[in-house]
Amino acid sequence: LWDIRSGKQIQVFNGHTSYVYAVEYSPFVIKNIIGNSNVICSGSEDNTIRFWDIRSNKKQLYMIKGDENEDFGIYCLKFIGLKKKDKTKDVKYDWNLCYGSVNGPIRIWG
């Protein structure tokens, strides 16, 4: 993670075991002891998508494994808001993660 004002690296997130092809800023915020934390996720050739709290240098928050028989690595990812059929607690959209794999399938997770 780089600070664009100073041009300096401020954090490193370790966990993937191969090349990272995609990073996406998450539209949701998690609440924890420290307060609100923003989340990014990364997709890798190691066939995983990992979620990171950008305000801490701690381990990953969560990991999704791609399909071992079909995906062979995560090539791109994007959060998409799908409109809900029914309004729930003033929430009009569900956030889902759409990702593409090296082998071709496109999947929606959420």
Side-chain angles (χ1 to χ4, degrees):
L1 188 62
W2 292 80
D3 182 331
I4 60 171
R5 292 176 296 258
S6 67
K8 294 182 180 180
Q9 179 179 307
I10 55 175
Q11 288 190 0
V12 175
F13 301 100
N14 294 308
H16 286 293
T17 58
S18 192
Y19 299 109
V20 172
Y21 289 122
V23 176
E24 177 77 10
Y25 183 76
S26 161
F28 53 84
V29 173
I30 60 167
K31 293 184 182 197
N32 57 28
I33 299 169
I34 301 168
N36 292 340
S37 297
N38 294 329
V39 176
I40 59 172
C41 66
S42 52
S44 170
E45 187 179 70
D46 68 8
N47 210 33
T48 64
I49 298 170
R50 297 172 191 257
F51 293 78
W52 313 94
D53 178 349
I54 64 172
R55 297 193 181 177
S56 74
N57 232 356
K58 298 185 178 173
K59 295 180 182 178
Q60 70 199 16
L61 297 169
Y62 191 73
M63 180 183 66
I64 301 170
K65 285 188 148 247
D67 185 286
E68 291 185 24
N69 296 320
E70 295 184 12
D71 287 339
F72 304 111
I74 307 302
Y75 192 70
C76 60
L77 46 91
K78 179 79 177 162
F79 284 97
I80 54 173
L82 299 176
K83 193 170 184 177
K84 288 181 138 190
K85 288 183 181 178
D86 297 317
K87 205 173 179 183
T88 307
K89 294 184 183 179
D90 297 325
V91 176
K92 296 178 185 176
Y93 294 92
D94 273 333
W95 287 101
N96 295 273
L97 181 64
C98 180
Y99 66 92
S101 67
V102 172
N103 203 33
I106 297 170
R107 303 183 191 280
I108 296 177
W109 186 86

